[in-house]
Amino acid sequence: MMSGENREQLRVLELYSGIGGMHWALKESGVSYEVVMAIDINTTANRIYQYNFPEANLNSFGIEKLTLKKLRSLQPNAILMSPPCQPFSRVGKKGDCDDVRTKSFLHVLQLLQQFDEKPYYILVENVKGFEVSRTRQLLVDTLQACCYGHQEYLLNPLQFGIPNSRLRYYLIAKLKSLPHPLVESNEIFYSLHESTTNLSQSHQNLHSASSTSHLSHQTSEHMWNNQTFSNTKHTSLAVEQDLCKTESENFSLGKMKFENDSASIRNGSTTFEGHDTNNKMNTGCEDNTLAVNSSEETKTKMSDLIDAGRNMRFCEESDAFVDENSRPLSDYMEDRKDEKYYEHLMVSDKDLRQFVVMDVVLPQLKKSTCFTKRYGHYVEGAGSLVQMSTSVQDTRAASCFKSKAVELKNKHDWGEEELSILKRLKLRYFSPTEVANLLCFPSEFEFPQGVSDIQKYRCLGNSLNVHVVARLIRILTSDDSR
């Protein structure tokens, strides 16, 4: 049991291991652990996992082939798993229990009932929609029959200051025979404050992603404890609004607020249309009046830029989780000075014709939409795109163009003149590195040579948010869990 100074090491069975999101979450959580086995059938994901954890006992076979005998030999005291989400996704056929992809998960539930030495802890991650499925009911029934207490959540990384909307279902379960059992509830929690208190604080510093590595997300103190978001439960409607929106919703207008503090500009220094945004009052600049005027001018220009493109994105102010403590996208983005580096990420003319359904964001903003496995080769509902241009005039022109295009529904009639308006925005895809950063994979995470960008996007789209899972692992194994 994980109590006191002599905590028993977690012996973790990692099912549907993908690119190792659960493994990285274990590392971030700070618990003592050993992954006794990881299993996934996706060969590309396994290649990435093995590259990052070369000593791992990684197996490539269908989980339905896992036997009770093998389970007993492993003696896991924790099972972490992220079963296939397609049977429960709102854009899928919702085959639920009848979907062939659910078969392996039902097999795991059968093994759990037959296993004499029950694992202490279980964690399950899936998409929103799983919470109303028959499969979820089978999971809960199995846990109750096996004497587990459990709690369920719908959580969004935006709640933790991370500028990416990725609403997901989570379940944590703990044997009732252990000290400090989970307090069960028939309701789903929409924040960690509703179910836990007295979490240990993390004092590790937050730092930005470098040009070649992923962001380390051993996050700032407010993200481990004392969250500034409301403790009250958000309604199902409010949570639903955090999902990737439909095409018609993409046309709605909203007023975008802008808050420009020192954290809003990457590393405190960015040039904007020729203006240096360093706060020179803090660097010994002799002409403080000039520095103040320059700062105010930069704020005004940036505010104008953000306001000019407000109908091209899902506005921050419509999201209750985005506040002054939320971090800007720039903290998660690569800082390349040479624009040629981004050429392979630029949106093609063909994809520009999907402009009216794009979510176009700026690095200074604090929200992006959910990245799916279709990102990089599909536009609608697959994830946000980055606007590299800082021209207010070009942004206004594109905004007006979108309004007209939505009304006329004439994208098939667009010629070079129309496309030139959109090309001036310099739209690009987030790089795989940046997507991994937003999913909170740490700086050590790397892709092996020979994996294409499309393969990277597919694997990332199927992955989870490392930081959110780390928080749940911490709660699950804490003596203060309740």
Side-chain angles (χ1 to χ4, degrees):
M1 286 169 282
M2 306 289 286
S3 60
E5 294 297 326
N6 299 316
R7 289 174 177 255
E8 181 178 341
Q9 185 182 61
L10 283 185
R11 293 179 53 81
V12 178
L13 175 60
E14 187 182 4
L15 302 179
Y16 313 97
S17 51
I19 60 175
M22 291 287 188
H23 199 143
W24 288 113
L26 284 164
K27 288 177 69 72
E28 182 179 327
S29 72
V31 301
S32 176
Y33 74 93
E34 175 192 1
V35 175
V36 295
M37 180 178 281
I39 306 174
D40 201 289
I41 200 170
N42 186 303
T43 55
T44 302
N46 284 344
R47 183 181 171 193
I48 297 169
Y49 187 112
Q50 199 79 70
Y51 184 79
N52 285 276
F53 300 105
E55 304 302 322
N57 180 19
L58 176 63
N59 290 260
S60 179
F61 60 80
I63 290 173
E64 61 272 16
K65 294 182 180 180
L66 180 65
T67 65
L68 184 60
K69 180 180 179 180
K70 186 62 178 179
L71 190 60
R72 285 172 174 156
S73 71
L74 294 171
Q75 295 182 318
N77 56 22
I79 298 179
L80 310 182
M81 50 185 160
S82 183
C85 64
Q86 294 90 339
F88 318 104
S89 173
R90 70 184 185 94
V91 297
K93 296 181 179 180
K94 297 183 179 180
D96 204 338
C97 293
D98 301 322
D99 193 305
V100 67
R101 289 165 291 193
T102 310
K103 181 180 179 181
S104 61
F105 182 65
L106 300 179
H107 175 69
V108 173
L109 297 184
Q110 290 178 340
L111 288 179
L112 186 61
Q113 294 179 68
Q114 299 167 11
F115 192 33
D116 298 328
E117 296 295 325
K118 299 286 192 291
Y120 298 157
Y121 311 110
I122 294 173
L123 188 152
V124 179
E125 184 263 5
N126 214 285
V127 294
K128 183 184 182 336
F130 184 87
E131 77 281 4
V132 294
S133 68
R134 289 177 289 144
T135 303
R136 173 262 175 192
Q137 189 59 53
L138 288 173
L139 168 61
V140 170
D141 290 345
T142 299
L143 293 173
Q144 291 175 343
C146 295
C147 298
Y148 285 91
H150 75 278
Q151 291 176 350
E152 297 171 279
Y153 300 84
L154 281 171
L155 299 174
N156 195 319
L158 291 171
Q159 295 171 243
F160 305 93
I162 303 162
N164 181 240
S165 183
R166 194 176 184 84
L167 183 66
R168 288 295 183 267
Y169 167 89
Y170 301 92
L171 177 143
I172 57 176
K174 180 178 181 181
L175 281 178
K176 292 180 179 179
S177 59
L178 297 178
H180 309 286
L182 295 173
V183 175
E184 292 192 278
S185 172
N186 292 325
E187 298 183 46
I188 292 178
F189 297 115
Y190 296 104
S191 80
L192 298 185
H193 279 289
E194 294 175 315
S195 60
T196 64
T197 57
N198 301 322
L199 294 178
S200 298
Q201 293 184 349
S202 170
H203 299 287
Q204 300 185 46
N205 292 330
L206 184 65
H207 58 273
S208 299
S210 70
S211 61
T212 59
S213 65
H214 300 275
L215 185 72
S216 174
H217 222 280
Q218 304 285 338
T219 54
S220 62
E221 187 168 319
H222 93 273
M223 296 172 75
W224 268 116
N225 197 20
N226 298 326
Q227 264 74 11
T228 57
F229 56 85
S230 172
N231 294 352
T232 58
K233 184 177 299 181
H234 295 269
T235 64
S236 297
L237 176 61
V239 175
E240 185 70 28
Q241 290 173 345
D242 281 317
L243 291 171
C244 298
K245 308 295 192 300
T246 61
E247 180 175 342
S248 61
E249 290 171 324
N250 214 351
F251 302 151
S252 62
L253 303 181
K255 178 67 176 176
M256 175 69 73
K257 68 179 180 180
F258 171 67
E259 298 166 339
N260 185 17
D261 52 22
S262 59
S264 294
I265 306 297
R266 180 174 177 81
N267 296 328
S269 176
T270 295
T271 54
F272 176 77
E273 294 189 344
H275 296 277
D276 189 352
T277 62
N278 278 318
N279 185 347
K280 297 183 180 180
M281 293 183 67
N282 295 327
T283 59
C285 177
E286 295 181 2
D287 192 345
N288 287 343
T289 301
L290 179 62
V292 171
N293 290 339
S294 177
S295 177
E296 290 302 317
E297 183 178 2
T298 300
K299 288 182 181 180
T300 300
K301 285 179 176 290
M302 183 57 67
S303 182
D304 288 346
L305 177 64
I306 292 174
D307 189 62
R310 61 191 172 91
N311 73 326
M312 295 191 290
R313 65 183 63 91
F314 305 128
C315 295
E316 294 174 350
E317 73 166 16
S318 64
D319 199 299
F321 294 134
V322 180
D323 59 23
E324 66 276 5
N325 291 303
S326 300
R327 299 179 60 197
L329 286 162
S330 58
D331 281 359
Y332 298 76
M333 296 173 67
E334 298 186 85
D335 188 16
R336 304 277 186 165
K337 303 303 181 184
D338 184 4
E339 285 197 8
K340 290 184 178 179
Y341 170 77
Y342 299 104
E343 287 181 355
H344 71 291
L345 298 171
M346 302 304 291
V347 176
S348 67
D349 289 0
K350 177 182 177 181
D351 287 345
L352 279 177
R353 292 187 180 276
Q354 300 296 318
F355 176 67
V356 295
V357 295
M358 292 178 180
D359 180 70
V360 179
V361 298
L362 296 163
Q364 292 77 17
L365 298 180
K366 299 178 178 181
K367 181 179 178 181
S368 59
T369 57
C370 177
F371 295 101
T372 75
K373 65 180 182 180
R374 301 178 297 172
Y375 193 70
H377 66 281
Y378 193 85
V379 173
E380 184 177 354
S384 299
L385 298 167
V386 182
Q387 175 181 327
M388 297 181 68
S389 170
T390 57
S391 167
V392 176
Q393 180 179 352
D394 289 343
T395 303
R396 286 198 180 114
S399 178
C400 292
F401 174 78
K402 176 177 179 176
S403 297
K404 294 178 181 178
V406 169
E407 181 180 354
L408 297 174
K409 300 181 180 180
N410 66 339
K411 67 179 182 180
H412 298 295
D413 299 328
W414 298 353
E416 284 302 317
E417 182 178 353
E418 288 82 2
L419 290 176
S420 68
I421 296 173
L422 305 183
K423 287 180 180 179
R424 288 197 291 270
L425 293 180
K426 299 180 182 179
L427 299 181
R428 71 168 178 88
Y429 291 95
F430 281 86
S431 71
T433 294
E434 292 166 337
V435 175
N437 290 343
L438 287 163
L439 293 177
C440 301
F441 280 80
S443 56
E444 308 97 284
F445 174 79
E446 294 180 345
F447 293 103
Q449 292 292 325
V451 179
S452 70
D453 281 356
I454 292 301
Q455 288 175 313
K456 294 174 185 177
Y457 287 133
R458 284 174 179 167
C459 290
L460 289 166
N462 284 328
S463 191
L464 46 78
N465 188 284
V466 172
H467 179 68
V468 178
V469 174
R471 290 291 302 272
L472 290 167
I473 292 172
R474 183 92 172 197
I475 292 167
L476 185 58
T477 60
S478 171
D479 288 344
D480 293 323
S481 296
R482 49 163 105 196

